[in-house]
């Protein structure tokens, strides 16, 4: 049940302007020090001449729009805090804006200690020592069938499957009878296989016991060859479908959380990130929280897919429209 109690102090302390702007899919770029700049997203902004007029001070967690027409339409209020921002975006009261933020970022109003990870920059995983990397595999699973009917059912063509070395494994071992996905570290070394069951067999996805997916990004070693603008998705099939749509610079988190190591890998290899997570509440909250962490050093855009869907269920044209609005 939605809480009607509001703790304004906790909200202003915990939810940053970056998090709220990322929720709306706004791309902000750092100009210097604590200042970020981007196009004003407010519905009151109608000026076509005042571009890049939206400024955020991350240290003070405040924003301002320098467009005179936008300011005038809001009663000459130039900016404010995160509550003012959401109230202006939603055309609602400050209290209603607070309730929305509590719901979007799972902020519990009872105590600031009960807030779940809508963090401004902290890691959701403990730091990982360099010696704790996943160990290389000394073998490859064979035979692998990239033309298996299950892949066609998931709209993965045989060429894409062969490119990723994905397919049905008919050999012996823990991955027998599953669709396997080879996982590499950032230099291309094979470190694990994940296996997807066919049908209702549980678990749906199986990983090796000692493998730590928080240390890698699926497909990173290929994606880095295709530029500095990357699409980030949750799952293996999402990654394959985005690749098929014409965006080879795509990586998968293998979940909806971003570890400290994964964050460092994105910052190391890319300048721009498009987050395309699942269209459920968990994916939407995760996208906003992840964007708030990455926007400190990268240009970030959050794309919102139809509710209840996943990127692997979208058509190529839908993906192109979301990832590149100027494609058509």
């Amino acid at each position: 049940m939605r809480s009607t109690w509001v703790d304004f102090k906790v909200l202003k302390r915990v939810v940053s302007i970056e998090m709220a702007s990322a929720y709306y899919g706004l791309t902000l770029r750092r100009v210097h020090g604590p200042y970020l700049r981007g196009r004003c997203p407010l519905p009151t902004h109608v000026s076509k001449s005042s571009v890049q007029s939206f400024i955020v001070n991350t240290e003070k967690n405040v924003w301002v729009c320098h467009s005179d027409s936008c300011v005038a339409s809001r009663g000459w209020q130039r900016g404010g805090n995160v509550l003012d921002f959401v109230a202006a975006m939603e055309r609602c009261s400050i209290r209603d804006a607070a309730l929305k933020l509590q719901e979007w970022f799972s902020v519990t109003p009872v105590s600031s200690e009960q807030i779940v990870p809508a963090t401004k920059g902290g890691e959701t995983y403990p730091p990982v020592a360099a010696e704790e990397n996943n160990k290389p595999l000394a073998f490859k699973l064979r035979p692998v069938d990239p033309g298996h009917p299950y892949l066609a059912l998931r709209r993965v063509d045989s060429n894409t499957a062969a490119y990723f070395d994905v397919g049905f494994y008919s050999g012996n071992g823990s991955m027998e009878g599953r669709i396997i996905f080879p996982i590499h570290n950032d230099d291309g070394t094979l470190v694990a296989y994940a296996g997807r069951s066919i049908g209702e067999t549980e678990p749906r996805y199986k990983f090796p016991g000692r493998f730590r997916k928080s240390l890698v990004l699926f497909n990173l070693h290929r994606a880095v060859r295709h530029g500095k603008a990357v699409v980030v998705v949750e799952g293996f099939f999402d990654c394959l479908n985005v690749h098929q749509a014409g965006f080879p610079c795509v990586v998968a988190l293998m979940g909806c959380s971003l570890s400290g190591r994964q964050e460092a890998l994105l910052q190391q290899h890319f300048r721009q990130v498009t987050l395309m997570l699942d269209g459920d509440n968990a994916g939407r909250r995760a996208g906003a929280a992840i964007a708030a962490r990455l926007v400190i050093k990268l240009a970030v855009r959050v794309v919102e897919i139809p509710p209840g869907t996943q990127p692997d269920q979208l058509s190529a044209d839908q993906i192109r429209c979301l990832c590149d609005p100027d494609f058509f």
Side-chain angles (χ1 to χ4, degrees), residues 12 17 42 54-57 60-65 74 77-86 94:
K12 288 189 288 186
I17 300 290
L42 300 176
F54 189 78
I55 306 294
V56 172
N57 183 322
K60 296 182 178 180
N61 200 27
V62 295
W63 61 275
V64 63
C65 177
R74 289 183 285 107
Q77 180 183 5
R78 288 198 170 272
N81 57 40
V82 67
L83 295 170
D84 298 314
F85 174 63
V86 174
I94 294 295

Side-chain angles (χ1 to χ4, degrees), residues 2-30:
R2 184 183 183 187
S3 173
T4 57
W5 173 258
V6 175
D7 192 326
F8 296 100
K9 290 184 179 179
V10 168
L11 279 171
K12 288 189 288 186
R13 184 170 68 247
V14 173
V15 182
S16 67
I17 300 290
E18 304 105 293
M19 292 166 66
S21 60
Y23 182 88
Y24 289 106
L26 175 63
T27 298
L28 297 173
R29 290 179 172 82
R30 188 166 297 279

